[in-house]
Each structure stands twice: as C-alpha cells, then as structure tokens.
Amino acid sequence: MTLDVTSTKSFVLSGARPHYSPDRPGQVEHLFLDLTLDLEAQTCWGQCHIHLRPLHAQLRHLRLNAVGQQIKAVTVQRQPQTFHYDGEFLDIVLDEHLGISPEQVLLITIDYGLEKPQRGLYFIPTQPPQAWTQGEDEDSRYWFPCFDSPGQLATSEIRARVRQPLQAISNGELRACDSEGEWQIFHWYQPQVHPTYLMTLVVGDFAVVDDRWQDKPVTYYVPKDRAADARRTLGKTPKMIDFFSRIYGYPYPYPKYAQVCVADFIFGGMENTSTTLLTDRCLLDERAAAEDFRTESLVAHELAHQWFGDLVVIKHWSHAWIKEGMASYAEVLWFEEEYGADFAAYYRLGELRNYLSEDSDRYRRPIVTHVYREAIELYDRHLYEKGACVYHMIRQELGDALFWKAIQTFVQTYAHQTVETVDLLRAIETATGRNLLPLFDQYVFRGGHPDFHVSYRWEAADQLAVLTVKQQQVTEGVTPLERNLFDLRIPVGIGTVDDQGQVAVKIIPLRIYEPEQTFYLPLTQQPTFVSFDAGNHTLKTVTLEYPLPELKAQLQYDPDVLGRIQAAIALGKKGGLEVVQALAAALPREPFWGVRREIAKVLGTIQLDQSLEALKLALADAHPHVRAAAVEAIATFKSAKAYELLKPIAKHGDSSYSVEAAALKGIGVIAAAKPQPKPKPEKVLKRLRKALETRQGWNEVVRCGAIAGLGQLKEFPEAVNLVLDYTAPTVPKPLRWAAIRTLGTIGDRHHPQLQQILERLAQLAHETCFFTQLALVEALRQIDHPQVLTLLQQVGDRTTDGRIKRAVDEALAQVKQNLSAGDRLKTIESTLEELRKENQALKSRLEELAAKSKLPTQDPSPLGDNEKTNST
C-alpha cells in the first residue's frame, strides 16, 4: 500500500496502531440474551447464553469482550467455571473434564448486570423513558459479554422483560409476548446469522404504524405524538425494498423490516439486522416534507445496508467502505429511480463535495487502512462519500449491464458470509472477466484523487481542438503510484449545435497518465462547447481554462447537469458584467433546480449590482433550495439594497423552513456590516429576538437561523447575552446546540465578553451528551485563547466516544497552531505550575501517611521537583 504525502494533515494520530481480526477460539452458533430492564433506575440484568463450537480439542481458555459490567457467575455446560474479569475482558478457564471437541457445542452462560452503562445501552430519560442500543463499531461489549468482532456470525435471540406499557423491539421475528404482573416479556428470534454489532434492543412507548412488502411486515415505530408523521416520513419503504431486492438480485432476506425512531440517537441511523434505528429528528412534518430529502436518503441508506453490511458482512472494519460506500451510493440509485438521472447526478455531486471538503480541510487517507486508534475513526467522508463515488466509477467502467451482474454475483456468492475488499474484486472478475485492481490501487488503496487543470483552444487554420491537461497533484517519486499520478481514460464531449438548436455531443476518450499532456483533436467544425469528463463520472477536481464563449455555450447547451454546473463555476471565476449577464439569462431557462441553485451561489461571488438584480428574480423560484441559495448569496452583498430584499422574508417567513432560516441569518450578516442608511443593528436584533420567541418549528431550523444571525451581531452585548441564554439546558436541544456553536463564532480573543463566554463553555464541558460535546468542541476550536486548551482536554478526558476524542485532538492541534508563541509559552507555564502543585500535594499526602505509619518519607519523584517538572 502506498501512502500519499500531499496532505498537510495526517489521518494517523498519536496512539494509532495496526488492527487485525482477532483469533477465533471457535464458531459462535447462537447467542441468547435473557434480560430485565428497569428504565427508571437505568439498570439491566440477566443472562447471556453463548453457543460455541470449538475449532479444536486443545481449547482451554476463552477471552470475551465485556466492558463495565457486573459479572456474577460463569458456567460452561452448566458447570461453574473459574473466571477473571478486569472490567474490559472476561477470561474463562475451561475445566479439563468438559471433554472439549469440535463435535460438541459448548453452552457458555454468564450472569451479569449493568448499572447506568456509558456506551452500548443508552437510557434516555424522556417521558415516557426510552432505552436503545448501539453496537457499531465495537460497543456491543458494553451491554453484553461477547466475541465482539464483525467476523463472528451467529443466529441470535433476545427475551426482554420491561414494565408495561413499554414495548421491547429487537431483531427478527416476535416469537412471544407475555404479561407477568406489571411486566411484559417480549421474545425475539433472529433466524439468520449476523455479527454482534448488529444485535439491537429498543424499549419505549411507541405508536405503531403497520405496512407490508409482499408477505413480510414493514413496521414504523415512532413517538406517540409524531404518529401523523410516520407514513409521511417512512412510507416509501416498501417501494424501496422492492427496488433494492431487484437491483441486488436477492429478495429482502429477513422476517420483517422495522424502523424505530428514538430520542437522542447518536447517529442518523443504524442498520441493525431487520430492525433499523433512526433519530426521531428525521420525522417530517408537512412543511418540512416539501423541501427535505435528507430523510428519504437516510431511509434508503439504512435499508440498503440490509444487503450490504447485514447480509454480506465485512470481516474487518478496514473494509467497511464495501458496505458504507454502497449504502451511500444506494441513496444515489434510489434518487435516480424515484426522481430521475439529473437529481441523482446532482446528489452525487454533493457526495463528492463532502469528500473533497474532508480531504482538503481535515486529512487524506486510503479508503482501506487498518491503522487507526478506534475503528469509529474510519467512519468518515472517505468511507461513505468517496466510497460511493468509487462504486459509481466501477459502474461507468463496466457499463450498467456488467456492473449489476457483478454486484449480484457478489451478493449471491457471499450472502450470510464475511468479506474483504479482495472478494469484491474477485466477484467483479468472475462476473465480467475484468480486473479492476488498477482502479482500486489508485482510488481505494491510496489516498487522494486527480486534480486536473484543463485548457482549451481552437486552431481554425488546422481545424484542431487543442486540450492541455495537467495533473496538479503530482509529487516526487519513482513509480506512478509514488508520484501520485493517475492513469485514467477520460471521455471528452465535443458539443455542436445546429441551426435548429439541436445539440449533438461526440465522445472522444483520452488516456491521461502523464503530469501534462496536450491532445490535438482534428474536427470538421469548431465545437460549440467542450465537456471534459462528459457526464462527470470520474472522481476528481478540475479547473477549466476555456474561452468565455465556450463556457457560455456549455452552460446553455450541455445535456449533462454537472457539465452545466461546471461551466457556471468556471464563468464565476472569470467574473465581470458579461458573465453576470450570461448567468442571469440562464436562470429562467434552466430546467433543473440544482443548476439554478448553483448559478445563484456563483452570482453571490460576483459583487455587482446586476448580480443582485438577478438574485432578486431567484427569490421567486419555485424550488426552496434555489430560494435558500439566493438568500445566502444576497446576504454576502452586505448592503442596504440586499437588506431590503431579505427583510420581507425575515419578517413574514417563507413556505420553506430553510429559506426563512437563511433570511434571519442573512439580516444579521448585513446588519453586522453596518451599511448606510440601513438596517440599524438594533432593529435587526429586535427582529431576531422576536423570531426566537415566536417561530418554534420542525427541528428548530428557523430559530437556529435566528441564533446564527445573532452570532453576527457580536459587537452588541444584548445579542451575546441572548445567545448565552439559549445555551441553557431547558432550551430545545437542536436550538441549544446551535447556540453553543455560535458562541465559538462570537468568541474572538479580543471580545469584551470573552471571559463570560469561556465561563459558560467551561460549565458545558461537564456534560456528557454526545451532541452537546460535539457542539462544544466546534465552538472551542474557533476561539484562539489558551484557556480553550484546558477546556478541550477536559472534554476529551470525559468522553467515551471515539468521534469526540478525535474531534478534540484535531481542535487542540488547530488552536495550538493559531495561538501566538507567547500564548503557547503561557500555556506551558500554567501547565507546569499545575504539575508543581500536584507534585507538592502528593508529597504532603505521602508525608502524612508516613507519619501515621511511622515510615520514612520518600520523595515521589526520584529526580526531585525540578527534574520531574522539566521532564514533564
């Protein structure tokens, strides 16, 4: 594997190491949990029964993962066994008289309990209370003893005893539901094998909405006060099941499909086998349903995992892109099926941009790597969005017919088995005869992507189209992989338009494999436009250096929506009145809303009065995402005229939550710039305060926009105090998290209220909610002050979530880099002073103990105070 060195930030942090699949003492055949849960006391107790078939007769020791549990007894074949438990591993010494052999399945029974567990099982103190589990990546070990590796597949069974009227929902089919006084017992059985991280248990008082796909129940569990939103949000599920069953060549394999919407879920969704958990924030009211497609993509993503991840299981976390990349690509596939190719292509562009943002701003890594601290660190934009783009490139390389043959071969060959990336390559070769290892070497097993610079000119005398293509990402090295060179066949579209306005595009494939290549293409006539990477199927970045007429023509005539967007962006970089006129003319004639949205964004980068006039027209667009982009672009002008355009939306609202929120933030942006003669910042502050008081709604989107607007008015103590007020625990959670993040926007190191802000952030550092911690880290990383380092370290020390730990470490590095040398010295001196005090306190304590025991006092440091401090 070749690691590229073009990124300035490394994915590998201190403490990272290579990870491998663990040794297997045997094959787990069945796992049965028999549990009682008390949600008020936040406790769980019962038995874990593991049916294990040893691999050999010499097995004398078992080590199970079990973190933070109370282990009471262990039996094997109903005989008590000697065990040792250190809070992380349960070691069982097997009695030599058990007669262990591969022909005999061992029954391991563990009596255990949990009290307010930190991970794995989450008790949510809502009314009524809820409890739910989250196993991925390696958190099942926090709620039951197990061999917690994705490589172990077994059938499973959960019997859960809960107080009425609560329901318990789990994997597979409901075998029994019995009452026992105030208790109710739910007995679930999962007949197909799956790994421990996909086992789930949810407890709550839910509204139940029944649906079906063929003869299988499809069920939606939602909070009772959101029952009306269930079918609106999840109602396309049966149609999706049908679609994925068809394209993957394997009918939905499980007894039922349930989706359970739970409170305070720490992910968007989790694809537990046959029982997906979703955040209740995905539920849509009628107004949100008109503009939000993220929930639909979430439902499709988690459902696709029932094939990629649950039916075909990864053997090791380093290969998680197989499932996460396909689930992310399934979002594209579903949108292509439901809304057409243009929508799908634009959505795929969004996935590409998400990956590119992480690659440029955060770090670069190979998609497949086994070097990390915790496996959860792998669950990033490289794994999801870049993985989706790679699947799309495979599709374009093979063509639709062979791509689906390869995918179906993969699913059918490895159903109910574990896989690695090489198995996908083998399935492709088996189905199509194609060896795609060169593609995987470039995009999967190393980091990065090609960064093309393309210039074009027409040589009329020789009837030649001349394209010069540079790979700008090339580095020093010997081999192409070491030099970060890509070897790709890129289709170039030569577009012409006849007198009747008919567009024809001739595709010319070019092999690009050198740092710089010039192609001379003989043509019978001058092209109207040239589309580099026609269809935009290649994962890349590209800068176009084309003449203005060709870009204007591409914006108007290119049949590919991404080609038109590419032209709009290239035009924006040229700027000028002619460009604005071209973009303004394109807005009313452009048929696809995504292109109109991108045009509005580009107009915001060209600060001319004519741009503002064009954006005024975009405010009347039928599509909410175009209007929202127009509002955001108008706000960048920071003028009185821009304010007059946004004022009616901020005052009276919009049918779209996102448009209204953007307008409220926008008037704050404009007011902070203090254009003359208006708006007066005090008047805008009053408007934002009123919005906070009166515009409650779906996921607090609108009021979050008002908070963001207040964050722009940081010169005004009233605005800062209002944001501080909305960080209180009683504030609805999405709005509270937005307020916490906004404190980071306000907290300039010279701000007169900085100390007040830091004191509030210090109070928040004691909270353990995942999303509160995440908002806090996002706020702190924006503030360049030595005290921030201590607060970040407190969050890192308190959290048990690997995502927060990584966010803290990255924020620490950023803040340290931004601090001046003097600040860093003060921080070091402060840290040393704290160490001196701790050392003195330790000495005093030892002297006290020595005096009591009449033992001689010993210095706690063999080096003495100064040496110990300097060493530290």
Side-chain angles (χ1 to χ4, degrees), residues 131-205:
W132 44 260
T133 64
Q134 171 58 33
E136 191 172 25
D137 47 62
E138 295 177 344
D139 282 6
S140 287
R141 63 187 66 185
Y142 286 84
W143 71 283
F144 63 92
C146 57
F147 298 100
D148 199 10
S149 165
Q152 277 278 14
L153 307 184
T155 57
S156 69
E157 192 174 357
I158 294 181
R159 184 162 57 203
R161 190 169 176 260
V162 299
R163 283 194 173 89
Q164 299 194 50
L166 300 178
Q167 305 139 287
I169 306 131
S170 186
N171 312 94
E173 57 199 21
L174 184 62
R175 290 245 169 127
C177 180
D178 302 311
S179 294
E180 189 179 273
E182 65 173 324
W183 298 89
Q184 195 153 318
I185 303 170
F186 295 82
H187 189 168
W188 293 88
Y189 181 79
Q190 168 61 36
Q192 294 91 358
V193 296
H194 63 157
T196 53
Y197 83 86
L198 293 174
M199 290 179 63
T200 191
L201 177 62
V202 188
V203 180
D205 188 14

Side-chain angles (χ1 to χ4, degrees), residues 261-331:
C261 297
V262 299
D264 292 353
F265 196 51
I266 58 174
F267 291 91
M270 179 61 208
E271 67 277 9
N272 306 298
T273 313
S274 79
T275 306
T276 286
L277 269 60
L278 300 169
T279 171
D280 59 5
R281 295 188 299 279
C282 80
L283 291 166
L284 303 172
D285 65 16
E286 189 172 358
R287 184 178 171 192
E291 65 172 308
D292 184 271
F293 54 79
R294 290 172 300 175
T295 287
E296 191 169 340
S297 70
L298 175 64
V299 173
H301 181 107
E302 304 304 337
L303 176 58
H305 270 312
Q306 299 299 314
W307 287 266
F308 277 76
D310 297 11
L311 177 65
V312 178
V313 184
I314 57 167
K315 187 175 183 179
H316 188 263
W317 304 116
S318 57
H319 301 281
W321 83 277
I322 295 173
K323 67 186 187 73
E324 296 300 348
M326 175 51 82
S328 300
Y329 190 46
E331 302 168 35

Side-chain angles (χ1 to χ4, degrees), residues 456-466 519-523 527:
Y456 160 75
R457 70 178 187 274
W458 172 251
E459 294 189 355
D462 298 316
Q463 294 288 94
L464 291 174
V466 182
F519 301 91
Y520 299 88
L521 309 177
L523 302 172

